Amino acid sequence: GENVEQHPSTLSVQEGDSAVIKCTYSDSASNYFPWYKQELGKRPQLIIDIRSNVGEKKDQRIAVTLNKTAKHFSLHITETQPEDSAVYFCAASKAGGYQKVTFGIGTKLQVIP
Amino acid sequence: DTGVSQNPRHKITKRGQNVTFRCDPISEHNRLYWYRQTLGQGPEFLTYFQNEAQLEKSRLLSDRFSAERPKGSFSTLEIQRTEQGDSAMYLCASSLYSGALQETQYFGPGTRLLVL
């Protein structure tokens, strides 16, 4: 089955700096990669996703890149703000009758004011 | 509220008791998923439904766990003879599957279970 590895497990950055979280996946058939943000005690919320037919996607301060050959994808947050502090999960899934989503272990991001 | 809802939000029970959780998906969504999340981990897949049919169950789902979605709308997850190892956050998610591209799963707030 699919295996998603995520690092780092914790990340501290100064407000205004950039944060990068990296993930790798094992199943070359995976072709959908969502990123979720989970604040303490709250539900995971989708912040951005990317499909395998594109290499990069941006949404304001958030961008995701995908390298299908290397089977890794990354989340980039620029101009970080204290409200970006949360746990971020990457995930991978593939098209087909059952679209099981496999999550990474999560990265706890702390933005220091 | 048009999002996924779950009840109860918190449940404390004694070992050996049975518990049941409910999930109400986004109304037009035909797929419903159950996940378990422990501290410091990502959500782990338990089972999922398409309409009322339970299509797959994880090996994590022991015989003590059962899930239903009788009318293809809300779903229940029951844990019988709870064990301390069952303590976790149980998350429900729903999506609209159309058979084409991967659909986005939207999560509920979760039910936090503590087994004493």
Side-chain angles (χ1 to χ4, degrees):
Chain A
E2 176 66 275
N3 181 50
V4 176
E5 295 188 353
Q6 181 174 351
H7 60 95
S9 56
T10 59
L11 179 60
S12 291
V13 299
Q14 292 290 328
E15 182 178 358
D17 288 349
S18 296
V20 180
I21 301 170
K22 298 182 179 181
C23 291
T24 61
Y25 60 99
S26 61
D27 190 341
S28 57
S30 290
N31 51 14
Y32 175 62
F33 307 92
W35 286 85
Y36 286 85
K37 175 183 180 182
Q38 187 174 29
E39 297 178 48
L40 189 63
K42 296 190 177 181
R43 74 188 74 191
Q45 292 197 311
L46 180 76
I47 55 171
I48 195 168
D49 56 14
I50 191 168
R51 304 182 191 278
S52 61
N53 57 343
V54 298
E56 184 176 4
K57 183 177 179 180
K58 288 183 179 180
D59 183 2
Q60 300 181 342
R61 295 185 298 108
I62 294 174
V64 58
T65 59
L66 171 65
N67 182 327
K68 287 181 58 181
T69 302
K71 290 189 284 187
H72 66 70
F73 57 112
S74 300
L75 177 72
H76 303 254
I77 306 174
T78 59
E79 301 173 16
T80 53
Q81 301 168 3
E83 52 265 38
D84 294 330
S85 297
V87 178
Y88 292 81
F89 294 99
C90 62
S93 70
K94 55 186 176 183
Y98 168 44
Q99 300 174 356
K100 176 182 177 180
V101 179
T102 302
F103 287 83
I105 196 171
T107 295
K108 184 175 182 180
L109 173 64
Q110 181 183 17
V111 179
I112 302 168
Chain B
D1 186 359
T2 56
V4 179
S5 62
Q6 292 186 245
N7 288 287
R9 296 291 308 279
H10 304 273
K11 179 69 178 179
I12 300 174
T13 190
K14 293 182 179 179
R15 187 176 53 189
Q17 298 295 305
N18 300 343
V19 294
T20 300
F21 309 142
R22 175 177 170 130
C23 172
D24 287 89
I26 294 171
S27 59
E28 66 269 24
H29 284 185
N30 52 6
R31 282 193 168 178
L32 186 149
Y33 306 78
W34 285 100
Y35 291 87
R36 182 171 66 189
Q37 185 178 26
T38 53
L39 195 63
Q41 301 291 323
E44 294 177 294
F45 167 78
L46 293 179
T47 188
Y48 92 106
F49 294 82
Q50 181 160 317
N51 300 313
E52 66 276 7
Q54 187 175 18
L55 297 187
E56 186 161 339
K57 295 192 295 184
S58 165
R59 288 172 294 177
L60 293 174
L61 214 65
S62 75
D63 292 343
R64 299 184 296 105
F65 288 71
S66 62
E68 295 182 342
R69 194 184 184 196
K71 298 182 180 179
S73 56
F74 74 92
S75 175
T76 58
L77 177 68
E78 181 183 16
I79 308 174
Q80 296 181 325
R81 304 181 304 281
T82 52
E83 302 172 356
Q84 289 183 328
D86 298 331
S87 297
M89 174 75 86
Y90 290 84
L91 292 164
C92 174
S94 71
S95 67
L96 179 61
Y97 174 68
S98 61
L101 297 177
Q102 301 90 335
E103 76 282 7
T104 298
Q105 296 185 18
Y106 295 89
F107 282 86
T111 295
R112 184 170 296 281
L113 172 66
L114 177 61
V115 181
L116 301 176

